[in-house]
Every structure is written in C-alpha cells, then in structure tokens.
Amino acid sequence: MDRNDWAQEFRERYERHGDELKWLYMELYHGNEQAYSYFVEMLCRAYAARSETLCALDRERLEQPDWYKGRGLVGMQMYVSAFAGTLAGARKKLDYVADCGVNYLHLMPLLESPAGRSDGGYAVSDFRTVQPELGTMDDLAALADDCHKRGIAVCLDFVMNHTSEDHEWARRARAGEREYQDRYFFYDNWDVPRQFEKTVPQVFPTTAPGNFSWCAEAGKVVMTTFYPYQWDLNYSNPVVFNDMTENMLYLCNRGVDIIRLDATPYIWKELGTSCRNLPQVHTLVRMMRMVCEIVCPGTLLLGEIVMEPSKVVPYFGTVEKPECHLLYNVTTMASTWHTVATRDVRLLKDQLAKVFALPREYTFLNYLRCHDDIGWGLDYPFLENFGAAEVAHKKFLNDYFTGRWIGSPARGELYNDDARLGDARLCGTTASLCGLETARHEKRRGKIDEALRRDVMLHAYMFTLSGIPVLYSGDEIAQENDYTYHDDPLKADDSRWLHRGDMDWDAAARRGDPESVEGRLFGALRRLETLRAAHRVFDASADTWLLDTGSDHVLGVGRFARGEMLLAYFNFGDAPCELRPNEDSALTDLLSGETYEPRTALTLPAGGFLWLGRDYGGEEDA
Ligand code: GLC
C-alpha cells in the first residue's frame, strides 16, 4: 500500500508512535524490516476496515481520554451461554443489564473452542468465528452495537498466550509443517522441556501437571503451560505477533471496547527463567497499546495479571509510556476474603495503603470474585508478623471457605489442591462464600440476615474503592453455588464451574420484591451504585486514606474529592462496634440521610457498614 494513500488520521497517529513502535519491534525481532513493514501494512488495513461509527466513537473518547475513569462505570462479567443461551438472547436481556446499572459488560470467551477441551472457552480454535451454539460474528457485532446505543461498553477476552490444539496453526504443526511448528514451542525430545521444568512453576498442578505435552502425531514435545490442549504461542516469531495482533484488531473492529489480555505475564518464554513477567512481555504489551492508539484509540487494554503485587503494577507502564489501561486489583480481592475469614483487617489495611499510594492515573478493576478460583496470593511476610505461616494459613482459609472450619457458614470447593505444596485455591459464588447458602438451606432467618449483611457490606467496600467495580453475573441476586457441574463429564474435573452456573431467571424475577433475598440484595446494590454515581467523592481523582477505627475488626476508609468527603466503615467482626468519627463537623449517612453531630457515638452491627459524607461545597459535574 502506498503511504500517500493512508488516511490523514491514521498517518498522524502512526507518526506519533512510529519511532518508538519501530524501535521496540526491531529490538525484539532482530531488525526484521520485512516483518515490520508487513505489520504496519496490517495496521493500516485494520484501520481502513474500521467502521465509521466506531471511528466516531474513537474520536469521541479521544476528546475525553478519561472516559473510563469516572465513578459512573459498573461492570458485570458473564458467560453468554449461562446468561441467555445465545448472543441473540443476550441482546434481548440488555434491559436486565441496564436494570443492574451495568454499563461495562465483560462477555466471557465466546470464540470457537472444542467442546470438552475448551477451558471455559480459553482454548480458541478460531479467532474469527463465534462458537456456533452462541451465534455468529454478526450477532456479536449487533450485540456490541446495541450495547453502545445504551452506553454500555463491551469487553472480550483475547486469549493470546495459546491456541487450542484444534486451531489451524496447530493442526498444520501436528501434520509436520515446520513453518507452523515454529509458531509454537516444539522439541524433538524431552531434554529442553526438562530444563524448563526446573524453573517454571505449574499453573494447574492437579488438573494438568507439567508445562509440556507429548504430541504423538508430530512425534515431538510441545509447550502447554495451561491444559495439554492449549499450545503456547511463540512470540519470539514475528509472524505470531503480527497475526495475533491482526486477530485482536479484528475483534476491536467488531465493536469490542475493552480487550482483556488473557494470561498476559506468560506470553514470553526463556529457558532458565520462570517464564513469567519477562521484560519482553512488557515490550509486547507496550506495542499493543500503541497499536490500539493508532488503529482504534477508543479501545482499552485490560491486563489479566494474577501475580504478586510487585509484578502487577508495572503492567500499567509509565505515564509517558503506558501499557495497560486497566488491571485487576487481584491482591486486594484475595486480601478481602482473608479478612472475611479472619475478621482481622490489618492485612487489608496494609494492602490498601499500598494501593492508595499509587498514582491516581492507574485504574483498577475491583471485584469480589470472577470466573476463576480465588488464589491465596497474600503478603505472607506481613502475616508472619502475626504468626501466620503460609501453608498453615492457606489451609485455614480453605477450611473456612469450604465450611470445614467449625462455625464457618461459608460453602466453597477447593481448586487444584496441590497436596505437595499445600497450595489449594478456592471456588464459590459471593453469596455462598458469605454464608447465604448455608443459612437458606437451614432456613434460619437470623443467619440469612447476617449473610446478606456481609454480602452487601463487601459490595459497599468494593464500591468505596477507586476504579471500576465489576460484579459477576448472578451475584447481584445472591446466586448460590451450582453443584450440577459434578454430573457433567466435560466440567466435573474443573471446580471453577461451581461459580459459573446458569442465570436463575426465576430468582431474578424476584429482584423487585423487597421481602425476598434477591430483592434485598439487588435493591441494596442498586442504591449503592446510584449513590456512587451521584457523589463526586467517588471520583478516581479522590485522595484516599485509611482511618484509625480503634478496632482490628473494623476497616475505615476516607476519601476526599472536589469538596466532598466520605468516611466509610466496614465491620468485618462478629460483634457490634462503637464508632466515634473524629470530625469537627456534622456528617450525613449517605444511605439513611440522617445527620450526626460531631463525635456522636455510632454503633456498627457485625457485618455492617456506614458511608458518612460531608459536602464542603465544590463544583458539580459540568
Ligand atoms: C486465564 C483465565 C482462565 C484460564 C487461563 C488460561 O487465567 O482467566 O480462566 O484458565 O487464562 O487461558
């Protein structure tokens, strides 16, 4: 393509990033000019193929680059199959999504993926085709379009670390085509794989041990970090990066607003390392960010970095050279459940202090649970100060949340119980982990109230944090664990299906009934969302700090933005707690509207929370 034919807009954007992009590309791919010019032409093609409607949305968002940082966004993630059967079905249920106050919809993997070897859709066999049971690419584009008309942004996974063994590249590699074997990591024998195994940890130690699999047809060993049917792509081959970037842009051009970069830390492998978070991963992500800014600048990159805190934040990049727009607040999530089990807020305070110290430009997705297990990636050196040793503490948490711990109302199941390391993770819906399932089963009214209170408090706490709160579909109506997966041979091995059950529409129909459990939770969450959207103090630009509550059971968070202050308290303990906010002026309970004079003693019930606000008078939204 002749450079002169490029659209002016594309050219300007390319010129802004071209030097850095080329520099990084050449460095990674040893000066491969040919590969780079193919890459740039591909970007140009993708730009040319972008619809005028999406280009207009890009321009609109460029005018308001902080569009996703506002306090008005509420996310929800869901499997389309579990929510509505098909993409067309999901279009019909958008009223419900809107009713939930949701304007960010994460549709779990929906591209073609072999039944029974799909890892919940995370083994993609064709990046350009939707799973036939769910519909077509056109249905996806139509759903995205409907969402946009309602002001809902759409997030989709881009599973870039691996393909399914059924992907065309994998089939051709298996048939012996060298060019395609070079897109993966193939070895003639186990010598190199064995060396890798010395330094690379395992992702699925029980369900899929080891990082390599024998490919009988090719007579070779292939790298499979996740399941044996998920073949790791070799990003040191520029063809892989070029073609996968093209696949990503194809999804962006179908109207996807947020690309979730699945398993980001794993995309570069190097012998003798852990094959996690290597510097080249950051180069690749930075290049992808620039690609989006050139081709589809309205698109956001969400990194899935389920790692210890020090490894997560670098994926934001720097203010001058950003990488991901959004990251999961994973350590905070795990620390929250630790706090639920221990009733002790000290670890959570320490974790939040670290988050509060980060630049406000960094936007986190806050969540209580997602489609995956909860891994106990906590700050163990900190916990050791209190005598909690890692293995024993993980055992306690797992015992607590599986209900084995005496007195625990929680119901969950273990995930990848690695007896060798004592390292099991945990599955369960928010309601079941909060004890609602047990309480309803036992039909104990007081226990139901208690569990609901805890569930609402956890959501209120999530809504208190800066960033985008994301609910898992069904959690808004207190959906419980789904044990039917045990009877499905295609799912029985993977306990994550416990918390990915089908949407219970009968239960959802009760959401307007203030007497029902569904209605009580749904109503409470809607109220919180509305307050969050209405109050400037929830802006991401807010100052945030921890309050001294005088109790290790009670978390206190302060916020101040644009003339508004919030003092938020969350009682994780088992007993009511008396609070006396140390303020000179009156505070108003945002939920009840009641105003308290300075130093009034307030009682916070076990599992209760308070949002106390004070308006010093600041500018309203423009
Ligand atoms: C991510 C997904 C998880 C999947 C894995 C492999 O971690 O969240 O569900 O198993 O990637 O693709």
Side-chain angles (χ1 to χ4, degrees):
M1 197 178 301
D2 182 347
R3 268 185 165 245
N4 294 326
D5 294 339
W6 292 7
Q8 176 73 7
E9 188 178 49
F10 179 86
R11 194 176 317 133
E12 278 171 18
R13 291 187 196 150
Y14 179 75
E15 274 167 14
R16 197 166 323 127
H17 293 295
D19 280 351
E20 190 195 346
L21 188 58
K22 184 163 185 185
W23 179 274
L24 292 179
Y25 194 102
M26 288 300 168
E27 193 180 44
L28 202 62
Y29 296 123
H30 314 291
N32 190 334
E33 289 277 357
Q34 209 187 342
Y36 186 71
S37 52
Y38 177 90
F39 178 68
V40 178
E41 281 183 25
M42 179 275 290
L43 299 188
C44 184
R45 273 201 310 277
Y47 171 77
R50 193 155 173 83
S51 74
E52 196 36 56
T53 319
L54 292 175
C55 286
L57 191 58
D58 287 336
R59 287 174 210 127
E60 211 177 279
R61 289 177 175 166
L62 280 174
E63 291 288 307
Q64 271 196 313
D66 286 348
W67 67 272
Y68 60 96
K69 294 184 181 169
R71 57 189 194 256
L73 279 185
V74 177
M76 179 175 273
Q77 69 170 125
M78 57 170 63
Y79 270 102
V80 169
S81 52
F83 181 68
T86 61
L87 286 164
R91 285 178 76 188
K92 296 203 191 100
K93 298 272 189 210
L94 285 181
D95 279 344
Y96 177 79
V97 173
D99 206 15
C100 293
V102 164
N103 45 19
Y104 163 127
L105 194 59
H106 176 188
L107 304 173
M108 304 301 295
L110 44 73
L111 301 180
E112 202 174 78
S113 181
R117 290 174 292 127
S118 81
D119 183 23
Y122 285 96
V124 178
S125 52
D126 185 344
F127 290 93
R128 309 279 175 109
T129 310
V130 166
Q131 279 168 37
E133 322 78 84
L134 298 179
T136 63
M137 264 302 164
D138 286 344
D139 292 335
L140 175 63
L143 174 62
D145 195 39
D146 282 358
C147 284
H148 292 158
K149 289 188 180 125
R150 290 167 177 263
I152 301 172
V154 177
C155 170
L156 209 72
D157 282 87
F158 181 53
V159 187
M160 66 178 298
N161 177 67
H162 42 259
T163 72
S164 151
E165 62 181 353
D166 281 13
H167 189 280
E168 187 195 341
W169 301 347
R171 279 194 267 118
R172 298 180 74 160
R174 203 180 303 116
E177 284 188 58
R178 185 60 200 263
E179 189 195 331
Y180 289 91
Q181 292 188 351
D182 286 348
R183 294 184 182 214
Y184 299 95
F185 295 88
F186 269 87
Y187 300 96
D188 293 336
N189 56 47
W190 289 89
D191 292 349
V192 177
R194 248 182 238 123
Q195 287 184 48
F196 267 107
E197 293 290 15
K198 287 186 188 151
T199 54
V200 184
Q202 302 194 23
V203 182
F204 298 142
T206 323
T207 45
N211 288 290
F212 293 85
S213 303
W214 174 247
C215 174
E217 296 95 316
K220 293 189 182 190
V221 182
V222 61
M223 185 185 278
T224 55
T225 301
F226 292 84
Y227 281 108
Y229 52 75
Q230 290 166 309
W231 292 11
D232 288 72
L233 285 167
N234 185 349
Y235 280 89
S236 73
N237 178 350
V239 176
V240 169
F241 181 61
N242 288 356
D243 287 356
M244 287 302 283
T245 304
E246 191 169 6
N247 283 332
M248 177 184 80
L249 292 173
Y250 179 83
L251 295 176
C252 298
N253 281 351
R254 303 275 88 61
V256 174
D257 305 276
I258 299 134
I259 291 282
R260 176 183 181 274
L261 297 175
D262 180 59
T264 322
Y266 300 81
I267 58 178
W268 192 275
K269 320 291 194 291
E270 208 69 68
L271 195 60
T273 71
S274 66
C275 295
R276 312 279 196 267
N277 308 301
L278 297 179
Q280 293 85 345
V281 174
H282 289 278
T283 304
L284 289 167
V285 177
R286 173 71 190 138
M287 287 201 288
M288 292 169 85
R289 170 73 180 246
M290 288 189 278
V291 162
C292 289
E293 287 185 7
I294 293 169
V295 178
C296 46
T299 312
L300 306 178
L301 294 180
L302 159 63
E304 191 226 358
I305 323 292
V306 181
M307 295 277 151
E308 64 267 32
S310 63
K311 298 295 191 307
V312 175
V313 170
Y315 283 92
F316 280 120
T318 61
V319 175
E320 297 76 30
K321 295 185 175 176
E323 295 178 21
C324 294
H325 300 80
L326 303 167
L327 296 177
Y328 287 95
N329 205 346
V330 56
T331 310
T332 301
M333 184 275 292
S335 306
T336 304
W337 290 108
H338 152 97
T339 312
V340 170
T342 59
R343 276 67 165 153
D344 184 329
V345 302
R346 285 175 295 180
L347 176 78
L348 190 55
K349 278 170 75 175
D350 190 65
Q351 165 62 16
L352 290 179
K354 288 180 191 144
V355 174
F356 292 170
L358 294 171
R360 283 165 236 182
E361 285 78 20
Y362 292 176
T363 308
F364 279 108
L365 285 198
N366 296 307
Y367 62 120
L368 296 174
R369 62 99 169 182
C370 65
H371 67 294
D372 280 331
D373 48 292
I374 299 171
W376 299 118
L378 306 174
D379 184 347
Y380 289 101
F382 180 85
L383 285 174
E384 267 158 32
N385 294 327
F386 311 102
E390 179 166 344
V391 172
H393 189 61
K394 283 181 178 165
K395 178 159 178 358
F396 159 70
L397 293 169
N398 285 325
D399 283 349
Y400 181 87
F401 285 112
T402 51
R404 276 184 242 161
W405 188 263
I406 294 181
S408 162
R411 288 290 172 269
E413 286 183 1
L414 296 185
Y415 179 69
N416 268 280
D417 183 6
D418 186 351
R420 207 170 34 105
L421 299 175
D423 201 21
R425 287 118 74 176
L426 190 96
C427 299
T429 68
T430 302
S432 292
L433 296 180
C434 283
L436 205 62
E437 185 180 322
T438 310
R440 281 167 121 181
H441 185 74
E442 294 173 359
K443 299 199 172 41
R444 291 168 68 182
R445 176 99 202 159
K447 293 282 173 197
I448 293 178
D449 293 350
E450 221 172 83
L452 262 180
R453 197 157 46 233
R454 208 165 282 277
D455 198 331
V456 174
M457 177 192 77
L458 290 180
H459 282 93
Y461 144 80
M462 170 172 82
F463 287 132
T464 306
L465 303 178
S466 294
I468 306 178
V470 181
L471 305 162
Y472 193 93
S473 165
D475 273 5
E476 74 285 4
I477 50 160
Q479 212 158 293
E480 295 170 9
N481 291 338
D482 174 19
Y483 297 94
T484 61
Y485 86 93
H486 284 290
D487 307 322
D488 181 342
L490 300 183
K491 294 178 175 169
D493 283 345
D494 194 326
S495 51
R496 289 176 298 179
W497 291 105
L498 180 71
H499 53 235
R500 298 174 180 172
D502 285 352
M503 180 74 183
D504 181 346
W505 287 105
D506 291 336
R510 291 191 288 274
R511 69 187 181 280
D513 171 4
E515 296 300 311
S516 68
V517 166
E518 293 81 10
R520 288 166 72 189
L521 182 62
F522 192 88
L525 301 191
R526 288 299 284 129
R527 182 106 181 81
L528 293 171
E529 287 167 10
T530 312
L531 286 170
R532 186 178 206 265
H535 285 273
R536 307 184 299 281
V537 74
F538 291 103
D539 272 3
S541 62
D543 284 329
T544 46
W545 67 95
L546 290 161
L547 304 171
D548 185 1
T549 65
S551 164
D552 285 342
H553 304 304
V554 183
L555 176 74
V557 174
R559 298 182 65 89
F560 187 90
R562 298 164 62 202
E564 249 196 308
M565 184 180 70
L566 177 84
L567 303 182
Y569 297 94
F570 309 92
N571 185 356
F572 282 83
D574 287 321
C577 172
E578 184 166 295
L579 291 172
R580 241 176 244 274
N582 187 20
E583 276 301 309
D584 293 333
S585 34
L587 294 163
T588 304
D589 183 329
L590 296 191
L591 280 118
S592 69
E594 205 168 321
T595 297
Y596 302 111
E597 289 312 313
R599 276 173 278 280
T600 307
L602 303 170
T603 305
L604 197 56
F609 77 98
L610 270 174
W611 271 358
L612 300 176
R614 167 138 178 86
D615 197 339
Y616 292 89
E619 4 81 71
E620 289 299 329
D621 289 337

